[in-house]
Amino acid sequence: MNPSTEPGGGRSSYLSFMLAGEEYAVGLLRVREIIEYRPVTRVPGMPAAVQGVINLRGSVVPVVDLAVKFGLPPRPITRWSCFVIVEVALDGQQTVLGLLTDTVREVLELGPADIEPPPAFGTRVRLEFLRGMGRHNDGFILLLDLDRLLSLEELLKLTGASEEAPPPAPSQAPAPPPAPEASGNG
């Protein structure tokens, strides 16, 4: 079953959001929550699109800036900037990611007739990242395939960052050997 398909119907729900002036959407059933922007802790060695990690109720959640991933122009953090917390599949296991967005727009209901295949040209997003183009009002919204947005190597780095344990406590120095007993011969 398509992860965003509602049971019992051919229509699917999508959450749309803006990135650098363009509208994108992901399957609603993959979205866990939407949270306000908060400071991101940088993690060395991550791909350029990975901003770092955030603390979400005690859990480490990697944050991905899709605009950087797509090669879109840089844009400022505003009061509408937020994280869309989603689940992606990594080797059959669900991994939680935060997607940095400029603003969240709306929930859309799209049927199979509303979705066109991605065009072979004209988008700034690589075709393998797209599930299709959703017809909405007088335009189209790019429907992202969350499981293809990041390469396996990028996802493994993210997983390593989120599973990184706190540094171990300093080890204690080994106990000194017992002092030799004083002999009475001398």
Side-chain angles (χ1 to χ4, degrees), residues 6-151:
E6 300 287 339
R11 299 187 68 81
S12 301
S13 298
Y14 295 87
L15 177 71
S16 70
F17 53 86
M18 298 298 292
L19 281 177
E22 295 188 22
E23 191 167 10
Y24 298 86
V26 295
L28 187 62
L29 294 180
R30 306 291 292 276
V31 176
R32 280 190 166 187
E33 61 185 299
I34 302 164
I35 60 173
E36 289 182 347
Y37 181 84
R38 59 183 67 179
V40 176
T41 302
R42 301 260 179 212
V43 178
M46 291 289 112
V50 178
Q51 296 291 298
V53 296
I54 59 171
N55 181 346
L56 184 62
R57 292 182 294 277
S59 296
V60 177
V61 176
V63 172
V64 176
D65 187 346
L66 292 178
V68 173
K69 177 74 179 175
F70 298 157
L72 299 175
R75 71 257 188 255
I77 300 296
T78 67
R79 61 185 273 201
W80 295 282
S81 298
C82 59
F83 298 117
V84 176
I85 308 298
V86 297
E87 292 182 345
V88 299
L90 173 61
D91 281 343
Q93 292 188 344
Q94 296 297 312
T95 300
V96 176
L97 294 179
L99 303 178
L100 176 60
T101 67
D102 296 343
T103 185
V104 170
R105 297 287 302 255
E106 61 185 311
V107 173
L108 310 167
E109 295 286 330
L110 299 174
D114 299 323
I115 300 174
E116 298 290 331
F121 62 94
T123 67
R124 291 191 274 182
V125 179
R126 290 175 32 190
L127 292 181
E128 67 256 25
F129 300 154
L130 297 176
R131 295 184 59 177
M133 298 183 70
R135 191 175 297 120
H136 182 64
N137 296 330
D138 293 332
F140 286 100
I141 297 173
L142 298 173
L143 305 177
L144 298 175
D145 187 338
L146 286 175
D147 295 332
R148 292 184 175 182
L149 283 177
L150 299 175
S151 68

